[in-house]
Amino acid sequence: MKNVKVVIWGMGAMGSGMARMLMKKTGIDIVGAIDIGAKVGKPIFEVLGEEYPNNENIKIGTVEDYIKPAIADVVLLCTDSFTEKAFDKIKLIVENKMNVVTSAEEMSYPKAQSPELADEIDQLAKENGVSVLGTGINPGLIMDVLVLVMTGACEDINHITSRRVNSLSPFGKAVMEEQGIGISVEEFEQGKKDGSLAGHVGFPESMSLMAEALGVKFDEITQGMDPIVTDVDRVAPYGEAKAGSVAGVSMTASGVVNGKELIKMDHPQQIEPEQVGVNTGDYVIIDGNPKINLVNSPEVEGGVGTIAMCVNMIPQTINARPGLVTMIDLPIPHAILGDFRDQIHEDAKIVK
């Protein structure tokens, strides 16, 4: 079998990280990279800031250069957070008969907020014999899939708390804007009021994913969003917050079944949390039979976690049935230390 072929669309913090990870792997090749502006035309090694022996130093190009039939087996799409914004790109990719793994948070379970677009993506992917997956560290693993894995040991469940305290520092400019990093509290409240400030993207998706897996239907899902205001200046690679401005967002969500809260999600995230003595961590607390209290501290680092999830789910996506798939449709995520080709089924959807 030939090496698995990959195109990366979006060479920001996440896409560049995926490129670096792929360059170190066996049985998988980057055959194209897409971006806009000054990066177009530059060799990928120049953008990554290092060379990788035995890897071709391809040039970063445009959509027209790399989104066409038989170029790749899969496209890693790292440009958007929202299904509506990612839709046209996904449509173009699948119509050129390539599988998609995207870090767009809403694509982890697009039926939650964009059911019509989800159905259209599913139909397009089936018509073209490819699969589309949205994944990442969160949503995609820590606050939903990890929770579901732990419920596998439960006879019954009364309540679930999924909590993640994390640093936003590894993420790129798009996430900084969604979280309102560096804006005033007044601007935050206005953005919250008019809907222009997203905060953490993915709670409805995580909630809906868990509900489908658990076999329940929520009466309602509610969300809360409050600013985390810093009293010291903080500087991260892709954003900064002066004292008195917003350094992060505290997000909460509640899922109610039969009038009673079944799942609570609690997600305070900010840039440079260690600078103000905040300890990061991931927590799964299940009041059930048996009781479960899973703690991982410090957090699973979000940047490398998202990068690894997207790369490590490539074989499962290629092997999957055609259509729109989610993390609960596929085999468990895991690291790939050997040859990627060994993970691909003989009848999988790859470029011959």
Side-chain angles (χ1 to χ4, degrees):
M1 181 187 293
K2 294 181 180 180
N3 284 3
V4 178
K5 297 178 181 180
V6 181
V7 167
I8 301 174
W9 189 341
M11 288 294 293
M14 295 299 101
S16 295
M18 292 174 202
R20 292 187 182 94
M21 181 175 174
L22 286 165
M23 291 288 190
K24 301 172 186 176
K25 295 298 181 178
T26 302
I28 190 164
D29 295 326
I30 299 172
V31 297
I34 299 168
D35 211 286
I36 56 176
K39 292 179 182 177
V40 174
K42 289 186 176 181
I44 194 171
F45 289 176
E46 180 180 335
V47 172
L48 298 179
E50 54 187 307
E51 294 186 5
Y52 295 85
N54 303 317
N55 284 273
E56 185 178 356
N57 190 12
I58 65 168
K59 287 187 177 180
I60 296 175
T62 64
V63 173
E64 291 74 18
D65 292 327
Y66 292 122
I67 303 299
K68 47 190 175 184
I71 287 287
D73 303 301
V74 63
V75 176
L76 298 178
L77 180 61
C78 318
T79 58
D80 303 287
S81 291
F82 306 101
T83 299
E84 185 174 352
K85 289 186 176 181
F87 176 78
D88 287 341
K89 300 181 184 74
I90 294 169
K91 182 176 185 289
L92 183 62
I93 295 166
V94 301
E95 287 179 340
N96 280 277
K97 302 189 184 306
M98 291 181 283
N99 300 287
V100 181
V101 177
T102 177
S103 59
E105 291 92 333
E106 285 190 353
M107 280 299 299
S108 64
Y109 198 90
K111 288 188 292 185
Q113 299 190 84
S114 303
E116 293 181 359
L117 290 180
D119 288 343
E120 190 169 350
I121 291 169
D122 184 50
Q123 186 61 37
L124 284 167
K126 287 175 178 175
E127 289 172 356
N128 288 279
V130 294
S131 301
V132 178
L133 173 71
T135 193
I137 195 69
N138 181 39
L141 182 63
I142 295 297
M143 295 190 78
D144 40 39
V145 173
L146 179 62
V147 174
L148 291 172
V149 169
M150 298 312 298
T151 66
C154 293
E155 182 182 59
D156 199 8
I157 296 170
N158 299 315
H159 186 267
I160 295 169
T161 299
S162 176
R163 188 166 197 255
R164 176 166 167 82
V165 183
N166 79 293
S167 172
L168 288 172
S169 294
F171 293 94
K173 291 182 179 179
V175 171
M176 297 296 148
E177 292 176 0
E178 290 165 4
Q179 305 289 335
I181 302 304
I183 67 175
S184 68
V185 174
E186 291 75 19
E187 290 172 318
F188 183 97
E189 294 299 337
Q190 181 58 42
K192 177 180 172 181
K193 183 179 179 180
D194 63 26
S196 62
L197 192 64
H200 169 68
V201 180
F203 270 176
E205 289 70 29
S206 289
M207 282 285 196
S208 300
L209 186 82
M210 288 189 283
E212 179 179 328
L214 294 170
V216 299
K217 292 185 178 181
F218 290 123
D219 303 340
E220 61 175 345
I221 299 173
T222 58
Q223 290 192 90
M225 182 171 74
D226 294 302
I228 297 175
V229 181
T230 182
D231 55 5
V232 298
D233 292 349
R234 305 192 208 178
V235 179
Y238 299 95
E240 61 180 277
K242 299 291 186 182
S245 69
V246 174
V249 181
S250 180
M251 299 286 297
T252 58
S254 175
V256 175
V257 176
N258 296 326
K260 179 182 176 183
E261 183 180 79
L262 177 64
I263 301 176
K264 177 183 179 180
M265 303 184 76
D266 181 22
H267 190 21
Q269 49 184 339
Q270 57 194 296
I271 60 170
E272 304 300 300
E274 65 282 349
Q275 193 173 336
V276 291
V278 173
N279 295 319
T280 64
D282 303 305
Y283 310 86
V284 178
I285 304 166
I286 301 175
D287 177 13
N289 183 21
K291 294 181 182 297
I292 292 174
N293 186 3
L294 179 69
V295 178
N296 174 68
S297 185
E299 60 160 323
V300 177
E301 198 264 289
V304 68
T306 294
I307 289 162
M309 280 294 294
C310 288
V311 170
N312 287 328
M313 290 304 296
I314 287 173
Q316 289 96 319
T317 304
I318 292 174
N319 292 335
R321 58 157 177 81
L324 175 65
V325 295
T326 72
M327 289 296 296
I328 60 174
D329 298 317
L330 303 181
I332 62 170
H334 55 80
I336 300 171
L337 305 181
D339 195 317
F340 267 70
R341 292 170 295 183
D342 295 338
Q343 305 281 328
I344 306 299
H345 298 165
E346 291 184 1
D347 59 349
K349 311 176 295 298
I350 60 172
V351 176
K352 304 298 185 183

